[in-house]
């Protein structure tokens, strides 16, 4: 068992629309997955390392993230909490941090106004700013998309990730739109390239279907954290089982085998 480097993180993601957790495939075909507050509490208790809450239609609809929901989630959990969706200025960041968020995820607004990353990092510190990037592998390479994956922009994935890091983002949350919700594994080649090129942590998103997919994201993709939604929401993978599996595979995760043994015997 190697303990080199920081522990790899497992992060459930709550995609929220109209107060309900939803999950789709390739960013469409959404289905309901439950109450975000209850899910958040369950994940916190199950040993998730962090939680991400995305108001998935906020940017497209041009409104602000549902602050009251953020407060309700924050009150129920004791792990780091990242919130994204419709964040376009410092006052949005301020409002969400005051509501209980630990980090802020920016995506569409940061691509349109890259200086937003500089401003968040300068005012609150790089650790607060997560730059989320939705990208698709098109015929001409990896390109970024905005507005919940609806619109391609003239920004290449690796160029934009480097710029975001240079501007002060503390982490990159990379979602491969082709892999999203398909459960065939993460985009490990692109993840590895990002991890090699950047000096900040990279969070893998899009494609989790089995425990081995998480292992591969950490080993082949060199990701620092792996985020998933449907496999957790619909009970296909339980976080304690996943952590045990990763621990047994020699991956450094926050997991106490002795504690797990006590629970089982109890």
């Amino acid at each position: 068992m190697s303990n080199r480097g920081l522990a790899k993180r497992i992060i459930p993601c709550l995609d929220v629309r109209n107060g309900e957790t939803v999950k789709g495939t390739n960013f469409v075909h959404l289905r309901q997955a439950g109450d975000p507050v209850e899910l958040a509490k369950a994940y916190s208790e199950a040993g998730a390392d962090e939680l991400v809450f995305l108001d998935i239609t906020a940017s497209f609809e041009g409104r602000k993230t549902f602050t009251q929901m953020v407060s309700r989630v924050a009150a129920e959990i004791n792990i780091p909490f990242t919130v994204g969706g419709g964040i376009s200025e410092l006052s949005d960041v301020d409002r969400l941090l005051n509501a209980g968020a630990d980090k802020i995820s920016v995506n569409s607004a940061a691509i349109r106004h890259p200086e937003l990353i500089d401003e968040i990092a300068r005012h609150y510190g790089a650790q607060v700013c997560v730059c989320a990037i939705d990208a698709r592998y098109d015929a001409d390479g990896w390109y970024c998309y905005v507005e919940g994956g609806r619109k391609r922009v003239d920004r290449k994935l690796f160029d934009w990730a480097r710029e975001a890091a240079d501007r002060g983002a503390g982490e990159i949350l990379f979602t491969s739109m082709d892999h999203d919700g398909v459960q065939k594994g993460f985009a490990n080649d692109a993840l590895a390239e990002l991890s090699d090129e950047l000096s900040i942590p990279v969070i893998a998103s899009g494609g989790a279907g089995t425990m081995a997919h998480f292992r591969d994201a950490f080993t082949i993709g060199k990701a620092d954290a792996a985020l998933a939604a449907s496999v957790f929401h619909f009970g296909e993978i339980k976080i304690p089982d996943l952590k045990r599996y990763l621990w047994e595979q020699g991956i450094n995760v926050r997991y106490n085998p002795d504690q797990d043994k006590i629970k089982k015997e109890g």
Side-chain angles (χ1 to χ4, degrees):
M1 168 68 201
S2 166
N3 275 308
R4 286 176 300 163
L6 295 170
K8 304 294 188 182
R9 291 169 285 149
I10 301 299
I11 308 176
C13 180
L14 302 175
D15 293 324
V16 176
R17 182 183 66 173
N18 301 329
E20 276 283 330
T21 308
V22 295
K23 186 60 196 120
T25 305
N26 303 128
F27 282 46
V28 293
H29 308 305
L30 300 178
R31 55 180 173 151
Q32 292 194 345
D35 176 62
V37 180
E38 291 302 315
L39 282 170
K41 185 178 179 183
Y43 290 140
S44 181
E45 291 171 351
D49 296 298
E50 297 190 18
L51 187 73
V52 168
F53 174 106
L54 298 175
D55 189 337
I56 58 170
T57 55
S59 289
F60 176 64
E61 294 172 0
R63 63 180 166 76
K64 305 302 185 187
T65 304
F66 193 26
T67 316
Q68 187 184 6
M69 179 75 77
V70 172
S71 298
R72 288 175 56 213
V73 170
E76 296 289 347
I77 64 175
N78 58 5
I79 53 177
F81 180 31
T82 300
V83 178
I87 296 164
S88 58
E89 55 195 21
L90 283 184
S91 62
D92 297 327
V93 180
D94 215 46
R95 175 170 51 83
L96 292 166
L97 292 177
N98 285 332
D102 299 290
K103 306 180 196 178
I104 298 302
S105 170
V106 289
N107 189 335
S108 303
I111 283 184
R112 294 195 183 97
H113 307 288
E115 62 280 359
L116 180 63
I117 295 173
D118 306 69
E119 290 172 8
I120 295 171
R122 192 164 58 244
H123 279 79
Y124 305 103
Q127 77 284 353
V128 164
C129 186
V130 178
C131 182
I133 303 176
D134 299 329
R136 187 193 295 279
Y137 188 74
D138 294 329
D140 49 352
W142 280 100
Y143 273 86
C144 300
Y145 282 71
V146 296
E147 294 178 7
R150 292 172 178 81
K151 183 179 175 185
R152 172 171 149 158
V153 292
D154 193 25
R155 287 273 192 170
K156 292 185 175 177
L157 166 64
F158 302 105
D159 293 343
W160 172 234
R162 276 193 299 270
E163 181 179 335
D166 289 344
R167 285 180 175 275
E171 295 180 282
I172 298 293
L173 167 54
F174 162 55
T175 302
S176 166
M177 294 171 58
D178 298 308
H179 294 72
D180 174 68
V182 181
Q183 301 191 358
K184 302 282 190 189
F186 294 91
N188 291 318
D189 291 345
L191 278 168
E193 191 169 338
L194 283 170
S195 297
D196 285 341
E197 287 197 19
L198 304 175
S199 59
I200 59 174
V202 175
I203 304 168
S205 168
T210 68
M211 295 195 211
H213 291 156
F214 287 88
R215 176 200 65 203
D216 293 347
F218 294 136
T219 55
I220 302 167
K222 306 178 187 178
D224 298 276
L227 176 147
S230 53
V231 291
F232 296 145
H233 298 341
F234 301 116
E236 295 159 44
I237 294 177
K238 292 189 166 47
I239 289 171
D241 297 340
L242 174 59
K243 287 201 163 183
R244 185 187 314 114
Y245 166 82
L246 292 170
W247 177 271
E248 289 167 354
Q249 293 288 312
I251 292 166
N252 184 13
V253 290
R254 291 184 187 90
Y255 169 74
N256 185 339
D258 295 331
Q259 192 67 30
D260 199 38
K261 190 176 171 192
I262 290 164
K263 279 184 189 168
K264 279 188 169 175
E265 289 171 355

